[in-house]
Amino acid sequence: MNLVVYVAAGALVLSSALLFRRPRTAPWNPLTVSTCAAIALGGFVFVCSAPLTLATVNDLTGIPNFGAPLTYGMLSAYSCSLLVLLIHWRGGPRERLRRAALRCVVAYGALIAAIVMLFALADAHTERLRDLDTYYANTPGMREMILLYLLGHSAAIVVMCTQCVKWEREVTGLLRTGLRLILVGALLDAVGFQLTKYTAVVARWTGHDLDFLSTTLAPPAASLAALLCSAGFALPRLLPAVLTQWHSLGDYRRLGPLWSRLRFASIAPKPPSSWWQLPQDRLHWREVSIHDALLALAPYFDDGVRETAREAARREGRGQHEARVAAEAAMVADAARRAAAGEEPPEVSSGSRLYATEVSGPSGLVELARVLETVHTVGTMGEGTVRTYHG
């Protein structure tokens, strides 16, 4: 059980870290912060509830069952974060959002304080790592603490289910998919975790033993519910970013042939060699370096080569745009050959801009790289060996 719980916690914390990644100069986004906080707190709840963690916390503090108020307090904080996230997700005037979020924090802060106080007043000297809720269901102080944390979590889940049902009819696309995942997770939490906990505790109150509901069924249901809810919150924000990185990786690789031909001409600073650098950052560096190389090769661009290649492409039946790109690819290949061989540039160089440098984004460079693959490969020299001509 410990391994499963820790793996689930790791997945949630990793998702939170990916969502939270942003440029240093980017402003704080309350929705992103609240999403990351909710997902991360869900992961911490898993860690705190693991029997191994409970035993470790009890040993370190020297207080039997001290892990219980820690776990219940963390669960209450997670419930609060869900409500705060819903507040920011719904949107509205900033001041209204701030007041609503503050009310949630104050209410659940008081709940956590009450949980700690009730634990301090209770007589719970027998350590229970798996069945504390049912073992102490009739113990004064502990009984109220257990009921209090369950009610606090139930309130958050009820609000979340209500809002998801209401919003699901108003949105489309990834946001609707995310809301449905949240709703499924919330319902699973309500039935698989809360209902089983309530039933097991009430059974103890009436002299019956249904502890297996609390110790066997509730933990995996809570884990799956938290994963589904976290996936629902993260999906609308994380999936577009993942797809962007995936497309950037594809463009980065497609620019490989072009970069291998022109890298000798680039004097742009080399990118930091960080293994964790995202594909989008790598693509940006490659674009900058290729543009720098094309600028360095500009004195070698020959309009005669371009026009000859354009006419040949038109005779082959290519359209105007395809003929232009093919002609520019031939001219770039010829310029790279001249520069790499140390030849003199043509007396009159081309003053026209390349299509690849006119369009925004990497699409023009990718198209140039694709066409350039069909042009005879030229040798290259060391980086920064192109002579610079002015005039």
Side-chain angles (χ1 to χ4, degrees):
M1 177 179 176
N2 289 317
L3 179 60
V4 174
V5 169
Y6 290 143
V7 169
L12 291 179
V13 173
L14 178 60
S15 299
S16 176
L18 290 175
L19 275 173
F20 196 68
R21 182 183 173 90
R22 64 185 181 90
R24 294 181 180 179
T25 57
W28 293 94
N29 185 331
L31 179 57
T32 299
V33 173
S34 56
T35 302
C36 294
I39 296 176
L41 283 172
F44 290 141
V45 171
F46 283 153
V47 173
C48 292
S49 63
L52 179 60
T53 304
L54 293 174
T56 302
V57 170
N58 294 341
D59 291 340
L60 290 176
T61 60
I63 302 175
N65 300 310
F66 185 82
L70 175 64
T71 301
Y72 299 157
M74 191 65 69
L75 180 62
S76 299
Y78 172 63
S79 301
C80 177
S81 70
L82 293 178
L83 295 180
V84 172
L85 175 54
L86 288 176
I87 291 171
H88 287 294
W89 205 353
R90 181 61 175 176
R94 180 176 299 180
E95 186 60 27
R96 189 183 71 185
L97 297 180
R98 191 187 67 82
R99 288 197 302 267
L102 183 60
R103 284 195 294 268
C104 288
V105 172
V106 170
Y108 276 89
L111 176 64
I112 294 172
I115 288 173
V116 175
M117 182 184 67
L118 289 169
F119 175 78
L121 296 175
D123 182 11
H125 297 296
T126 303
E127 184 180 59
R128 310 301 297 186
L129 301 180
R130 299 178 185 275
D131 62 347
L132 183 140
D133 288 351
T134 51
Y135 185 85
Y136 287 109
N138 292 306
T139 302
M142 294 294 286
R143 174 183 56 223
E144 289 76 14
M145 181 191 74
I146 294 166
L147 185 60
L148 198 58
Y149 96 80
L150 286 174
L151 289 174
H153 187 56
S154 297
I157 295 301
V158 168
V159 172
M160 190 161 62
C161 287
T162 303
Q163 292 299 323
C164 286
V165 171
K166 179 180 178 181
W167 295 347
E168 195 268 342
R169 296 190 294 266
E170 302 175 4
V171 297
T172 58
L174 279 178
L175 189 55
R176 172 177 285 183
T177 302
L179 285 174
R180 289 175 176 175
L181 282 174
I182 295 170
L183 182 59
V184 172
L187 291 175
L188 180 59
D189 185 289
V191 176
F193 175 72
Q194 295 173 49
L195 183 59
T196 55
K197 285 283 188 179
Y198 282 125
T199 303
V201 169
V202 172
R204 279 288 186 140
W205 292 351
T206 58
H208 298 84
D209 185 352
L210 295 177
D211 290 7
F212 75 95
L213 293 176
S214 176
T215 58
T216 304
L217 296 183
S223 300
L224 182 57
L227 287 173
L228 287 173
C229 287
S230 298
F233 284 124
L235 183 66
R237 302 182 63 80
L238 191 58
L239 185 58
V242 170
L243 292 177
T244 297
Q245 297 298 335
W246 178 257
H247 293 152
S248 296
L249 178 61
D251 288 339
Y252 176 83
R253 290 175 173 173
R254 283 187 283 271
L255 288 178
L258 179 60
W259 174 236
S260 65
R261 287 201 176 193
L262 306 184
R263 65 185 307 165
F264 76 94
S266 176
I267 57 174
K270 293 183 178 180
S273 56
S274 301
W275 64 269
W276 49 265
Q277 194 176 26
L278 292 176
Q280 193 172 23
D281 298 329
R282 295 178 183 273
L283 174 63
H284 173 71
W285 279 102
R286 179 158 286 185
E287 285 184 80
V288 170
S289 299
I290 290 176
H291 279 292
D292 181 75
L294 291 173
L295 182 63
L297 291 175
Y300 293 87
F301 290 166
D302 190 337
D303 271 333
V305 173
R306 183 191 343 224
E307 292 306 318
T308 300
R310 189 198 303 269
E311 292 175 5
R314 295 304 297 270
R315 286 196 299 269
E316 293 174 1
R318 299 188 187 183
Q320 182 176 353
H321 175 72
E322 291 182 348
R324 177 185 178 181
V325 175
E328 292 177 352
M331 185 178 66
V332 169
D334 177 74
R337 180 191 61 79
R338 288 173 180 266
E343 298 180 9
E344 294 293 327
E347 294 182 1
V348 180
S349 61
S350 173
S352 303
R353 295 185 61 188
L354 299 177
Y355 168 76
T357 62
E358 291 179 346
V359 297
S360 60
S363 60
L365 292 177
V366 168
E367 190 173 7
L368 178 63
R370 178 179 56 81
V371 177
L372 197 62
E373 285 187 276
T374 63
V375 180
H376 178 64
T377 304
V378 298
T380 60
M381 299 170 63
E383 293 186 27
T385 58
V386 176
R387 289 179 290 179
T388 304
Y389 291 85
H390 302 278

